[in-house]
Amino acid sequence: MNTQLIMDYLSALSRNNNREWYHANKEDYKKANAEFEKLLQTLMLEIGKFDSSILQNNPGDLTFKLVRDTRFSHDKSPYNPAFRAHISSRGKLPVPVGYYLMIKPGGESFLGGGLFADMFKDATTMIRDYILQNGEAWEAIIHEPEFEKYFTVQGTALKKVPAGYEREHPQAEYLKFKSWYLEYPLRDRELRDADAFIAKAAGLFRIMKPFNDYLNRALADFQMPAR
């Protein structure tokens, strides 16, 4: 696993974010992407030690394209210079929630978990209703000392508790959320040693697993909208 090759390629793409450079350096992309998939395979084997539900995945099915959708963006750069993957029991679908990895040089890499997508209204409602009925379990997870050492629950949130929910509910602040996720930022130097990075990432994913499990219990009956 050559993480330096990954970082070097993404740094070069960031400096040369145009289609001509990308296509002229397609072989370098293939080499870097192959290293990223090796990294994912090794990481999955480590995650599998505490969450075997993800082991059936093929690393290549978990990654996201570099190409950006620029239709509604002021930034017309054609590529996102980042390798990204979501590892869950159903691959890279946003539900069930799983373990997210983004490698992007310049201090923008991070490990993530939980529900990032807030466009699925049914998912948002399911989680709110579950927190409403299982508030003590929620508090136990997010205030577990090891969890608090590394994570704070983030997400898109309303200014007020939505209609139909108690404003005085003990978890009222979290009922305002439309998405509930975790992020652990990574410095570039933490990615230089692949083995050390794998060990750290797997350890942090183990700590976030109860949070993911809680959300997945809430989302047990969720159906992805048909395209």
Side-chain angles (χ1 to χ4, degrees):
M1 297 175 295
N2 188 342
T3 50
Q4 192 60 51
L5 191 152
I6 294 171
M7 298 291 279
D8 288 347
Y9 172 77
L10 292 173
S11 295
L13 177 60
S14 183
R15 294 191 301 269
N16 303 277
N17 200 328
N18 60 76
R19 290 178 178 83
E20 292 75 19
W21 186 92
Y22 174 79
H23 288 291
N25 293 272
K26 200 64 179 288
E27 288 304 311
D28 289 342
Y29 162 74
K30 290 178 180 178
K31 291 175 184 177
N33 188 63
E35 292 300 324
F36 184 58
E37 290 187 8
K38 288 180 190 175
L39 189 75
L40 285 179
Q41 183 63 61
T42 306
L43 179 57
M44 284 165 52
L45 291 174
E46 290 301 309
I47 294 172
K49 293 176 181 178
F50 56 83
D51 186 352
S52 61
S53 72
I54 57 90
L55 286 174
Q56 81 285 354
N57 287 303
N58 178 345
D61 296 332
L62 304 175
T63 62
F64 297 89
K65 295 179 179 179
L66 298 182
V67 178
R68 296 179 61 248
D69 182 350
T70 61
R71 289 174 299 173
F72 308 106
S73 174
H74 291 296
D75 179 3
K76 297 303 180 182
S77 303
Y79 305 104
N80 179 9
F83 281 138
R84 302 170 294 145
H86 182 241
I87 308 167
S88 83
S89 60
R90 292 189 61 196
K92 67 179 181 182
L93 291 173
V95 179
V97 305
Y99 313 97
Y100 186 82
L101 165 63
M102 181 168 85
I103 295 181
K104 188 173 185 178
E108 296 188 61
S109 304
F110 71 92
L111 304 172
L115 182 71
F116 286 85
D118 59 13
M119 73 285 290
F120 302 124
K121 294 182 179 180
D122 288 350
T124 294
T125 299
M126 286 176 173
I127 293 174
R128 282 180 180 152
D129 290 349
Y130 196 78
I131 292 174
L132 196 70
Q133 300 298 324
N134 299 275
E136 289 185 8
W138 172 260
E139 294 292 336
I141 290 167
I142 66 171
H143 293 304
E144 199 280 325
E146 195 174 30
F147 182 95
E148 285 190 308
K149 183 178 178 180
Y150 298 103
F151 302 118
T152 301
V153 180
Q154 302 178 55
T156 308
L158 303 170
K159 291 183 178 179
K160 297 180 180 179
V161 176
Y165 297 90
E166 304 168 34
R167 286 186 294 175
E168 304 304 319
H169 190 275
Q171 285 75 49
E173 283 304 307
Y174 294 105
L175 296 177
K176 295 178 184 178
F177 282 43
K178 296 193 291 182
S179 55
W180 298 258
Y181 59 79
L182 311 174
E183 289 187 359
Y184 180 86
L186 297 165
R187 291 163 291 196
D188 288 1
R189 60 183 175 83
E190 293 180 89
L191 291 152
R192 290 176 189 157
D193 183 330
D195 291 334
F197 167 70
I198 291 290
K200 179 167 190 169
L204 289 166
F205 285 148
R206 178 187 58 79
I207 294 167
M208 73 168 63
K209 184 178 184 293
F211 177 83
N212 281 350
D213 289 346
Y214 182 96
L215 295 186
N216 282 331
R217 286 194 293 273
L219 296 167
D221 296 325
F222 177 79
Q223 298 291 324
M224 286 293 295
R227 291 188 176 183

